[in-house]
Structures are given as C-alpha cells and as structure tokens.
C-alpha cells in the first residue's frame, strides 16, 4: 500500500512499496521454459537523504531570497508549511521519515531512452489504412514467451496476471501485469484513440500549447472522468492549464493539490521560500463535462499530497474518487503501472532492467 497515512492535511505516500508489489509475480523465459525471477526498483531512486541546501541557506550555489508575497502565495505557503509539519509529525510517530542514511555503492545507470529516437525513425514508415490496421496486440504468445510486437503503431497489452521480462529492441524490459502501452509521439497517437480505452486519468508533459490543445482528450475520456495534470511552479503554466487548456477540453477545475517532496528525515528538499526551485509541485484536478462532484466540494482546494519519494504514484489516492475499478490512462508516461494504459515516446524509460548478483533491478 503506498498510502502510509491519511489525515485532513493530505497523505503520506510510499511509492516504492506499491511499485515493487506490482512485480511480486514475475516470469521470464529461456526458450519455452518459464521461470520466476525477483525484480525491484533500486532504493536510491526513491530516497533523498539530505536537502539541496546547507545550513547557511545557500541553494545550489545561490542564495535564498525572501520576496514579497501576494495574499494567495502566502496562503499556499501556509497550507504547505502547516500541512507538511502535521504529516511529518504523524509519519514519524509511526516510524516513517526517521532519517534513513543507508546508501548503495551501486551507481545509478544512465536514464537515456534510446526508444525515443526510434519513435522518430518509425514516423518515416508509411501509415497502414485504418480498415487494414490492427490497433492492439498481445505481448505474450499463447504458448508463453514474448511475441514479435510492433511497438510503434499498435497498443501492446500484457493481459496476464503476472509481470513479464521480455526482450524488446535488443534490450530486456519488465512489463507489469494487466498493462497496455503505446510507444509513439504526438503524431502517431491514433492507435490509442482507436482501441477505445475510455480511460479516467490524464497527465501531460512538455509540448507547445497549440499541440497540447490538440490532444484528443474528449475522445480518450469517458463522460465525468477525472482529469489530472501535473504542472510546474511557473505561474504562467498553471494559468494556462486552469484557464485555457481545461476549458478547451471541456474540463472543469475542481481542486488543486500539492505534491510536497521531502528527505528521508522529513525536511523540504528545497527551501519553501526559494526563488529558484520549490519543494512542491501542483496537481490540477478536473472533471470532464460534469458538474462539480460533491465529494470534491467537501474538500479544500489546497489539499496537500505529501510524498517521501522521487516518483509518486497517485492512483492509490485518486481511486477514492474514481472507484477502484476505474480504467486509467497516463499521457507522456515514462513508466508502466499495473492496470493502466500508458502512452508516450519514453513510455518504457524506467522499465529497462539489468541483471545484478542479487537479482534483477528495474531502473
């Protein structure tokens, strides 16, 4: 369970436990022989051991500067400061955020995603007529083992109840159970629309605003679905999503949550008043063409989502508002999650694995 605790201030999340649970049952093949293998993410991918500033208040070689705040900025600061303290205190009383100092000597691998370059090459291939195109394909054969799949023009599905280690484009990747994905960029998103996913959750990454508006969210989302967008702290980005992008998609903003990042001892990863980098980011939640949901109306618009990890999976929190059986879609994904459909030109970025003496680690 990724939700360590919940209170009126928000949630403390531990994503590593949730992610590793998705790989508890993992299969690999040697020829037609099936065997079990243990896979897990490296712990140092999730643990920030110290803040990115020293006791003098210097941040990454610069200085912390206090700026005059607007009334809204002061309110946000108060919500984050008070909410974080409440959540850290509660987590520490349960034995979490206790200042873990364990480090691994194993270096973190490069995060370069060569498949993104292959997406560019795939764009040069001729399009198949829609009436002749198969929009989905199975990752595994009926006899077991990996199929020869077309990663770039079909949605690939692992419909089995276990994760699978498969060779793709000369490398090994681990694909979670009950997962579907499409490896493509914005120009080749059509298979995702055609496979009739009717998903419930959306996120976006960096694209020009004109292209973001062209994302087929009305075709991908079912009526009343929850739309969640991660936004950086630049005010112009937040205004664009809230006041321009969501109305264009027919989505009504219902809440803004904060994901606060802390160290293993509960400190902000950056000073709260830093003019450069903030220790939090914003999630804008909306409903697609539906009146405000009553369950959101009972909450503050500044609910604090509090994370101890570098990568936070919010599905454990969001399923309270969309239902446990909701179909979920992540746009511009860099990893896969059990039960989700994922799309992007780096969708397998963190699924590549490497064999180590202690087993297999997911990067």
């Amino acid at each position: 369970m990724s939700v360590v605790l919940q209170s009126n201030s928000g949630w403390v999340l531990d994503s590593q436990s949730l992610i590793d649970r998705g790989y508890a049952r993992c299969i690999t093949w040697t020829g037609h022989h099936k065997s079990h293998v243990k896979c897990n993410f490296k712990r140092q991918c999730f643990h920030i051991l110290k803040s990115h500033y020293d006791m003098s208040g210097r941040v990454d070689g610069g200085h912390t500067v206090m700026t005059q705040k607007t009334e809204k900025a002061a309110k946000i600061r108060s919500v984050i400061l008070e909410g974080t303290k409440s959540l850290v205190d509660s987590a520490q009383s349960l034995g979490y955020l206790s200042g873990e100092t364990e480090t691994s000597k194993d270096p973190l691998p490069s995060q370069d995603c060569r498949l993104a370059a292959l997406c560019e090459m795939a764009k040069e291939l001729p399009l198949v007529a829609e009436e002749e195109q198969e929009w989905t394909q199975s990752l595994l054969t009926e006899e077991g083992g990996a199929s020869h799949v077309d990663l770039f023009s079909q949605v690939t599905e692992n419909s089995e109840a276990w994760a699978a280690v498969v060779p793709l484009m000369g490398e090994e990747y681990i694909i979670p159970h009950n997962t579907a994905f499409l490896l493509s960029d914005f120009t080749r998103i059509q298979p995702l629309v055609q496979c009739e996913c009717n998903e419930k959750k959306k996120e976006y990454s960096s694209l020009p605003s004109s292209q973001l508006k062209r994302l087929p969210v009305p075709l991908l989302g079912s009526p009343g679905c929850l739309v969640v967008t991660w936004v950086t702290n630049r005010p112009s980005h937040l205004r664009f999503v809230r006041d321009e992008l969501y109305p264009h998609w027919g989505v009504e903003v219902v809440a803004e949550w904060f994901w606060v990042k802390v160290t293993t001892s509960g400190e902000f990863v950056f000073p709260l008043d830093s003019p450069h980098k903030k220790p939090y980011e914003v999630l804008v939640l909306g409903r697609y063409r539906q009146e405000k949901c009553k369950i959101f109306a009972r909450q503050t618009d500044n609910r604090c989502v509090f994370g101890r990890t570098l990568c936070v999976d919010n599905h454990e929190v969001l399923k309270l508002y969309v239902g446990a059986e909701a179909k979920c879609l992540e746009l511009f994904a860099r990893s896969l999650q059990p039960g989700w459909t994922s799309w992007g030109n780096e969708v397998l970025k963190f699924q590549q694995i490497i064999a180590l003496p202690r087993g297999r680690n997911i990067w």
Side-chain angles (χ1 to χ4, degrees):
M1 185 71 172
S2 67
V3 179
V4 173
L5 66 89
Q6 178 180 353
S7 73
N8 291 333
S9 298
W11 299 262
V12 176
L13 308 179
D14 183 357
S15 290
Q16 184 176 9
S17 62
L18 177 69
I19 293 174
D20 285 348
R21 187 179 65 188
Y23 303 104
R25 298 180 60 195
C26 186
I27 301 297
T28 187
W29 286 267
T30 303
H32 291 290
H33 177 69
K34 181 170 64 176
S35 59
H36 295 268
V37 63
K38 181 179 180 180
C39 298
N40 60 276
F41 267 87
K42 295 193 65 140
R43 290 173 61 83
Q44 64 262 45
C45 294
F46 294 84
H47 291 180
I48 304 175
L49 301 181
K50 61 181 181 179
S51 301
H52 298 293
Y53 62 97
D54 59 30
M55 297 303 293
S56 65
R58 295 176 63 86
V59 183
D60 289 342
H63 293 280
T64 298
V65 179
M66 293 292 292
T67 58
Q68 186 176 9
K69 303 176 182 65
T70 64
E71 182 178 348
K72 182 175 181 180
K75 180 181 178 182
I76 291 174
R77 184 184 188 280
S78 176
V79 167
I80 292 174
L81 190 62
E82 295 174 10
T84 300
K85 183 180 186 308
S86 172
L87 287 165
V88 168
D89 289 346
S90 298
Q92 290 178 340
S93 70
L94 297 175
Y96 293 94
L97 301 176
S98 57
E100 182 176 355
T101 58
E102 177 188 345
T103 58
S104 171
K105 295 181 181 179
D106 296 330
L108 286 174
S110 169
Q111 296 182 352
D112 292 338
C113 183
R114 291 181 294 173
L115 292 178
L118 294 179
C119 286
E120 286 296 313
M121 296 175 60
K123 289 164 60 176
E124 303 300 320
L125 299 175
L127 292 172
V128 179
E130 289 192 9
E131 60 273 13
E132 301 176 5
Q133 177 70 43
E134 293 287 340
W135 300 111
T136 62
Q137 61 187 335
S138 177
L139 177 72
L140 305 175
T141 66
E142 294 182 0
E143 297 79 20
S147 302
H148 295 287
V149 295
D150 174 4
L151 295 176
F152 307 105
S153 62
Q154 292 179 272
V155 175
T156 303
E157 299 177 331
N158 177 15
S159 57
E160 304 296 337
W162 56 78
V165 176
V166 296
L168 298 172
M169 310 302 294
E171 302 286 350
E172 280 193 318
Y173 294 84
I174 181 170
I175 310 301
H177 63 278
N178 298 323
T179 297
F181 66 92
L182 173 65
L183 179 65
S184 78
D185 71 356
F186 178 80
T187 65
R188 297 291 181 109
I189 198 173
Q190 186 66 9
L192 194 64
V193 177
Q194 293 293 339
C195 75
E196 299 182 311
C197 295
N198 292 323
E199 309 293 353
K200 302 286 185 179
K201 180 173 181 281
K202 317 281 184 277
E203 295 183 5
Y204 79 93
S205 183
S206 178
L207 268 184
S209 58
S210 59
Q211 291 192 12
L212 283 173
K213 287 184 174 182
R214 291 170 55 195
L215 287 173
V217 169
L219 298 177
L220 294 169
S222 56
C225 73
L226 180 64
V227 179
V228 182
T229 303
W230 171 85
V231 187
T232 60
N233 283 305
R234 185 173 295 179
S236 60
H237 292 171
L238 183 59
R239 286 194 301 269
F240 168 72
V241 172
R242 185 176 53 207
D243 302 332
E244 190 173 344
L245 184 63
Y246 272 23
H248 178 79
W249 284 342
V251 173
E252 181 182 21
V253 176
V254 294
E256 291 179 18
W257 290 355
F258 300 101
W259 169 29
V260 182
K261 293 172 284 186
V262 299
T263 68
T264 56
S265 58
E267 298 178 336
F268 291 125
V269 295
F270 291 102
L272 188 56
D273 296 310
S274 169
H276 306 294
K277 294 184 178 181
K278 300 293 186 183
Y280 64 88
E281 290 154 4
V282 183
L283 296 175
V284 181
L285 289 81
R287 289 283 183 184
Y288 173 53
R289 291 181 178 172
Q290 183 170 308
E291 293 185 78
K292 282 188 178 181
C293 182
K294 292 181 180 179
I295 196 167
F296 280 106
R298 292 198 298 266
Q299 300 176 17
T300 172
D301 283 342
N302 292 317
R303 193 68 178 269
C304 183
V305 176
F306 175 81
R308 62 168 290 186
T309 65
L310 290 177
C311 305
V312 172
D313 177 340
N314 296 295
H315 189 222
E316 289 288 303
V317 172
L318 295 173
K319 73 180 184 181
L320 300 174
Y321 308 106
V322 298
E325 302 303 319
K327 296 180 180 180
C328 299
L329 168 67
E330 183 176 7
L331 303 182
F332 301 98
R334 288 182 164 185
S335 62
L336 306 179
Q337 303 177 56
W340 286 55
T341 296
S342 303
W343 168 80
N345 68 346
E346 294 184 329
V347 73
L348 297 177
K349 183 179 180 72
F350 294 111
Q351 301 305 133
Q352 186 174 348
I353 65 176
I354 185 170
L356 295 177
R358 291 170 291 181
R360 294 173 184 262
N361 277 279
I362 309 169
W363 301 116

